Amino acid sequence: MYNKIGPIFKKEFSSYFNSSIAYVFIVLFIFIPNLMFFYFFGGIFKEEMATMRRFFQMMPYVFIIFIPGLTMGSWAKEKNEGTIEMLFTFPISQWKVIAGKFFAAWALVGIAVGSTLFIPILTQLTMGDFDWGQIFTQYVGAMLMAATYIAITFFMSSLTMELIDSFLLSSSILLLLTLCGYITSAYVMIFPDWLGWLKVILNEISLSTHFNNFSKGVIHTKDVVYYLGLAMLFFYFNMKSLESRKWS
């Protein structure tokens, strides 16, 4: 299987670094979230202990901009340049092409997310201990959530030919799926008893709600299944979208 997916992965991954996309993405990902974390959220000692919980609580919202910005051209660019037709002529299954592209984007996001490890490492060296079990869980959750965001953006990119359309469509869907859990908070909206079912549904489909446990350092099977299931669902939608283009 790797013999088929590997070349696609290498091609896509290297293409990020052959242009300025990867470098801009990583630099901005390090700078902007950390600026927000330390300037607006008080940094690691806001809760009178060394923790990155607030940093990861804002991650679902950071991903809304960063991941569509990175992957908006996954298929829209291929369509614009006419190279998508060539992909269909390769002696490789369509799902393997999608998987190669997906893992390339996921790997780059992993590098960007992993680059933020300097915060707990420097704190550990200069100030005191971190709960590394919690840190591990937070990073695992961030990568699972990133996989879902990438799969959704890939599908949205397959529906359009323009990069800006792909970005706006992906960001809008991700924003909706992220905020739908936030609005169920009593601070935002109070649901009457007869709408309790709606509150439950909005919470269960929310991208941010399922990340709450990870941000606290807790791995819950339900949250893992949610992210993996949603990623596979949109992976399937992506395949069907490309198949419909192939035969149209």
Side-chain angles (χ1 to χ4, degrees):
M1 182 183 298
Y2 176 78
N3 291 336
K4 296 291 186 179
I5 297 178
I8 300 294
F9 171 85
K10 292 178 181 178
K11 172 183 175 296
E12 292 297 319
F13 189 72
S14 62
S15 69
Y16 288 125
F17 287 92
N18 290 335
S19 64
S20 61
I21 295 176
Y23 305 102
V24 172
F25 178 77
I26 293 172
V27 169
L28 290 179
F29 193 89
I30 294 174
F31 178 72
I32 295 177
N34 279 289
L35 177 65
M36 294 170 60
F37 178 51
F38 286 101
Y39 188 78
F40 295 104
F41 294 94
I44 58 177
F45 293 108
K46 180 67 175 179
E47 299 177 15
E48 299 183 353
M49 60 181 295
T51 176
M52 291 183 67
R53 180 175 174 182
R54 290 176 181 269
F55 179 84
F56 282 98
Q57 282 179 333
M58 68 182 183
M59 198 60 67
Y61 306 95
V62 171
F63 279 172
I64 290 173
I65 300 298
F66 277 85
I67 288 183
L70 174 67
T71 60
M72 61 185 176
S74 55
W75 297 112
K77 186 177 179 181
E78 298 274 11
K79 293 179 182 179
N80 249 326
E81 297 178 353
T83 54
I84 192 171
E85 306 298 340
M86 183 175 63
L87 286 175
F88 288 129
T89 65
F90 288 169
I92 178 175
S93 300
Q94 185 170 275
W95 74 268
K96 293 179 181 178
V97 175
I98 301 174
K101 282 176 164 284
F102 172 86
F103 284 119
W106 199 31
L108 182 54
V109 173
I111 292 174
V113 172
S115 67
T116 63
L117 274 168
F118 76 88
I119 303 174
I121 290 175
L122 288 179
T123 303
Q124 177 86 17
L125 293 175
T126 60
M127 298 182 185
D129 292 337
F130 254 97
D131 182 348
W132 284 99
Q134 183 182 77
I135 293 292
F136 173 78
T137 300
Q138 290 166 338
Y139 277 93
V140 168
M143 290 307 299
L144 286 172
M145 182 170 61
T148 305
Y149 277 59
I150 292 170
I152 292 173
T153 306
F154 266 38
F155 171 62
M156 297 304 165
S157 181
S158 72
L159 300 178
T160 179
M161 293 182 64
E162 300 298 330
L163 296 183
I164 188 63
D165 291 342
S166 174
F167 176 81
L168 292 175
L169 184 60
S170 301
S171 296
S172 299
I173 295 298
L174 292 175
L175 180 63
L176 181 63
L177 288 175
T178 301
L179 289 182
C180 66
Y182 176 73
I183 64 174
T184 62
S185 169
Y187 298 104
V188 179
M189 182 181 297
I190 298 177
F191 285 76
D193 292 340
W194 62 277
L195 279 180
W197 60 271
L198 179 59
K199 181 178 180 179
V200 172
I201 291 176
L202 290 175
N203 265 317
E204 290 301 318
I205 66 175
S206 172
L207 291 164
S208 58
T209 297
H210 286 276
F211 189 67
N212 286 339
N213 285 329
F214 287 109
S215 69
K216 298 173 184 176
V218 179
I219 296 179
H220 197 295
T221 303
K222 180 181 70 172
D223 302 320
V224 175
V225 171
Y226 168 80
Y227 282 128
L228 293 179
L230 198 59
M232 288 188 289
L233 178 63
F234 277 92
F235 192 99
Y236 175 77
F237 289 161
N238 194 174
M239 286 183 57
K240 291 302 178 182
S241 174
L242 294 177
E243 284 178 2
S244 65
R245 173 181 172 81
K246 181 178 179 180
W247 297 109
S248 61

